[in-house]
Amino acid sequence: MAGQPVMIMGEDAQQLRDRDAQAHNISAARAVAEAVRTTLGPKGMDKMLVGSTGDVTVTNDGVTILDEIDIDNPTAQMIVEVAQTQEDEAGDGTTTAVAVAGELLKQAEDLIEQEVHPTTIIRGFTAASEFTRAEIEELTTSVDGNEELLRAVAETAMTGKGAEANKEVLADLVVRAVQAVTIEADDGSTIVDVGFVESGTEIGRGVEESELVHGAVINKDPVHPDMPTDFDEANILLTLDPIEASEADVDASVTVTDASQIDAFLDAEEEELTEKVELLKDLGVDVVLAQKGIDDVAHHYLKEAGILAMRRTNKSDIQFLREVLGARVVSDLDSATKEDLGRGSVRRHETTDTFRFEGLNDDSHGVTIMLRGSTSTVIDEMERGVEDALDVVATAAGDGRLVAGGGAVEVELARHVRDYADSVEGRQQLAIEAFADALELVPRTLAENAGLDAIDALVDLRSAHDDGKTNAGLDVFSGEVVDSYEAGVVEPTMAKQQAIASAAEAANLVLKIDDVLDAGEGDDDEGGPGGPGGPGGMGGMGGMGGAM
Ligand code: ADP
Ligand code: MG
């Protein structure tokens, strides 16, 4: 399905301080954008990345690409940072942000050639970006707890990625996971915390056996094979304190001189350990998970007491269990109380031998998506897809706003931005019009990447929008113009809003650098080596200034 792999090599840094600096900055940034642009959309190409050690990654993911290529150029680096911010804040729309930024810079190059000063362009882009941010509200649909819409959001996020083949199963898991960690705040707002969604994987079974566990899955063996493994309602203790004899006793062993002293010492140690187990019994503990060790001598006593115990539990597992069970993590066993205990059911899974903990307390929360697949490659791809979709669905569920994808919202916004440009005086108008053109890069690229004629597609889309079909977008599989919303191609408004704003910001940053260089070379040029180019640069920039 994917096109031919493309190889990207790192670009050597080159510091230019002459009049080509501006063109160079723009082209470096555009080169990055161009590399990523061809991956946009479900039919985007895969890229093959060859690392410095010869390792090869094949991916369709914009962020992965930007992570992997080694970018020395500071302007190109800015574009990468935009992508990272977009990923962190919205979890999606990275390729869009980068590609639109590249297109804005291309438009800016044309404008600079027409003697429009970068400052004017920056102002125009900023105005258009702010206008777009507000205007997108008009094109937004509310989620209103509609599960089907959320599943469509998840599927849209996974389309074209490795997880696609299983997107229905995975979308359903993702939506249920998000719902499980969604709470209504006192002020009526919706809070979705994907920090309470964990994922686990198991190789060797069908994807359709993947499931959502309402709790934690812990891959640990009990310290003793004969311990009980299943509880309907257990009191569970999470502890940072090891269940071991205290340090003082261990040190004392150094000074023993005869056998009776050793026996006495061992007795003392054993007594201390049995006391600790007694203490757990008195508290009514059924299950104990220690982040640190549990002395071998204690294993037997714990088993005798009917307690299920696990040692060396991961810190992250302990923290997640705390949420799932509504427990407090105890740092000193001697001062543990009943209130510290979590309540939950415990089950040992037959085929995997993993333990499932499900909370019974009112304040317990946290779910685990257990992914199953035939090979680790399949599972890795699924996990990436699920992670992406989780963020996107969380954004959509939390924010509650959606827009139509497939280029629909961009074409509609471009129309509005063009109307807005008409109301703006002077050369800034040109920059605002250019912004509208840059928005349409999205449908053009979706078409191009799908092997369709980009111009025809855009003409069809524009005419549908002129007829009032605000959700008309491209079906990249059939090449037809469809109602993207009805086709289930929907994206969170917030991600789109953020992507467009980030693109404008990135383009402006790159354009602004020239101003800095311009001024820098005039007053306190510390970039000595660039000396000879300096005066030429001034001349070039000076000419630009006059053009404003
Ligand atoms: P990004 O990193 O920007 O999210 P993607 O490669 O995920 O980039 O592509 C997102 C774009 O693909 C969006 O414009 C989205 O509307 C579009 N898209 C996703 N699924 C479909 C589909 N089935 N048909 C048409 N467009 C789609
Ligand atoms: Mg995406």
Side-chain angles (χ1 to χ4, degrees):
M1 181 210 92
Q4 213 185 342
V6 173
M7 215 180 287
I8 307 171
M9 300 295 185
E11 199 188 341
D12 282 335
Q14 199 184 358
Q15 197 65 48
L16 292 181
R17 285 231 161 194
D18 55 25
R19 67 179 156 186
D20 289 335
Q22 180 175 59
H24 177 80
N25 282 334
I26 292 179
S27 75
R30 281 189 55 201
V32 173
E34 192 56 31
V36 170
R37 189 177 76 89
T38 51
T39 70
L40 183 78
K43 304 264 275 181
M45 277 193 217
D46 285 353
K47 297 255 183 248
M48 184 170 75
L49 305 162
V50 184
S52 49
T53 53
D55 52 317
V56 171
T57 316
V58 177
T59 178
N60 172 280
D61 190 49
V63 175
T64 314
I65 290 169
L66 293 175
D67 277 350
E68 301 276 330
I69 37 178
D70 131 54
I71 296 166
D72 302 331
N73 182 289
T75 338
Q77 191 58 42
M78 280 181 185
I79 299 288
V80 175
E81 276 158 27
V82 168
Q84 274 155 355
T85 313
Q86 176 73 23
E87 178 71 14
D88 293 345
E89 289 180 13
D92 194 36
T94 323
T95 313
T96 304
V98 170
V100 172
E103 182 66 14
L104 282 170
L105 287 170
K106 179 172 176 244
Q107 299 282 340
E109 265 180 332
D110 293 348
L111 289 172
I112 289 167
E113 229 161 76
Q114 295 167 46
E115 319 246 292
V116 182
H117 192 272
T119 311
T120 309
I121 302 175
I122 291 170
R123 271 199 221 113
F125 284 178
T126 307
S129 171
E130 276 162 17
F131 174 82
T132 308
R133 175 175 279 280
E135 204 64 16
I136 206 169
E137 301 292 345
E138 306 297 315
L139 308 172
T140 278
T141 314
S142 156
V143 178
D144 259 345
N146 184 332
E147 261 179 52
E148 208 170 313
L149 269 178
L150 290 179
R151 271 196 294 271
V153 171
E155 287 187 26
T156 303
M158 283 187 279
T159 309
K161 307 275 153 82
E164 178 168 19
N166 307 299
K167 66 180 180 182
E168 272 132 48
V169 177
L170 300 179
D172 185 57
L173 286 173
V174 166
V175 170
R176 280 164 46 216
V178 166
Q179 284 171 333
V181 298
T182 300
I183 52 168
E184 194 83 21
D186 291 339
D187 64 358
S189 65
T190 306
I191 299 173
V192 185
D193 194 339
V194 288
F196 295 135
V197 181
E198 287 281 310
S199 68
T201 58
E202 198 209 333
I203 301 170
R205 290 160 77 203
V207 176
E208 61 294 336
E209 281 184 59
S210 299
E211 61 177 321
L212 186 72
V213 177
H214 284 268
V217 177
I218 304 294
N219 192 2
K220 274 262 141 205
D221 286 325
V223 293
H224 194 291
D226 298 329
M227 284 177 163
T229 53
D230 293 71
F231 297 86
D232 288 337
E233 293 184 21
N235 291 320
I236 301 160
L237 178 74
L238 306 175
T239 176
L240 297 177
D241 206 11
I243 305 180
E244 286 168 350
S246 54
E247 294 279 329
D249 294 343
V250 177
D251 289 343
S253 67
V254 181
T255 62
V256 296
T257 50
D258 64 55
S260 69
Q261 270 177 302
I262 292 175
D263 283 347
F265 163 69
L266 288 178
D267 286 347
E269 196 185 60
E270 189 157 345
E271 195 179 313
E272 195 187 340
L273 288 168
T274 49
E275 270 168 24
K276 288 197 193 228
V277 174
E278 278 307 312
L279 193 139
L280 297 182
K281 260 166 80 177
D282 290 346
L283 277 175
V285 170
D286 301 302
V287 181
V288 56
L289 288 108
Q291 191 179 317
K292 298 198 178 112
I294 300 179
D295 194 295
D296 290 355
V297 177
H299 298 175
H300 168 77
Y301 293 108
L302 285 164
K303 183 209 74 176
E304 287 299 304
I307 295 176
L308 166 63
M310 298 178 204
R311 63 176 165 181
R312 307 246 171 256
T313 315
N314 287 337
K315 188 173 171 195
S316 59
D317 282 346
I318 295 271
Q319 282 166 350
F320 190 56
L321 280 167
R322 182 187 62 194
E323 302 300 334
V324 166
L325 302 170
R328 288 200 291 243
V329 181
V330 169
S331 52
D332 170 28
L333 275 182
D334 292 326
S335 56
T337 65
K338 283 191 158 51
E339 282 67 49
D340 295 326
L341 304 180
R343 306 252 316 134
S345 69
V346 182
R347 294 266 170 274
R348 186 171 206 173
H349 194 255
E350 280 173 24
T351 48
T352 61
D353 277 351
T354 53
F355 282 90
R356 279 144 193 241
F357 288 80
E358 301 195 2
L360 296 170
N361 274 345
D362 288 343
D363 57 346
S364 69
H365 42 232
V367 293
T368 303
I369 297 177
M370 276 305 286
L371 296 171
R372 304 226 156 81
S374 48
T375 66
S376 64
T377 319
V378 169
I379 291 195
D380 286 352
E381 296 259 19
M382 289 194 335
E383 210 173 8
R384 260 206 297 275
V386 162
E387 265 164 33
D388 281 358
L390 260 180
D391 286 337
V392 182
V393 174
T395 304
D399 181 56
R401 299 174 303 156
L402 296 176
V403 286
V409 75
E410 286 87 354
V411 173
E412 188 61 23
L413 283 172
R415 296 178 71 233
H416 295 216
V417 172
R418 285 195 186 98
D419 286 347
Y420 166 60
D422 290 343
S423 71
V424 176
E425 301 286 318
R427 281 162 180 258
Q428 203 172 304
Q429 185 183 74
L430 297 176
I432 297 173
E433 276 167 5
F435 194 93
D437 292 343
L439 288 174
E440 286 177 340
L441 172 88
V442 173
R444 272 198 285 126
T445 304
L446 287 174
E448 223 170 86
N449 289 351
L452 302 166
D453 186 301
I455 310 231
D456 285 352
L458 194 55
V459 167
D460 291 350
L461 282 169
R462 279 183 180 169
S463 101
H465 282 258
D466 286 342
D467 291 345
K469 296 179 182 147
T470 48
N471 292 332
L474 193 64
D475 179 335
V476 291
F477 300 100
S478 69
E480 302 289 312
V481 170
V482 296
D483 184 310
S484 290
Y485 193 80
E486 265 158 33
V489 179
V490 280
E491 300 175 81
T493 302
M494 221 170 76
K496 194 62 91 182
Q497 225 165 11
Q498 175 90 29
I500 296 170
S502 312
E505 222 170 280
N508 283 347
L509 274 177
V510 173
L511 292 170
K512 234 177 244 167
I513 285 188
D514 300 308
D515 288 352
V516 174
L517 273 185
D518 191 7
E521 289 186 15
D523 335 322
D524 54 350
D525 182 14
E526 30 180 314
M538 276 304 286
M541 295 296 167
M544 207 75 69
M548 193 174 153

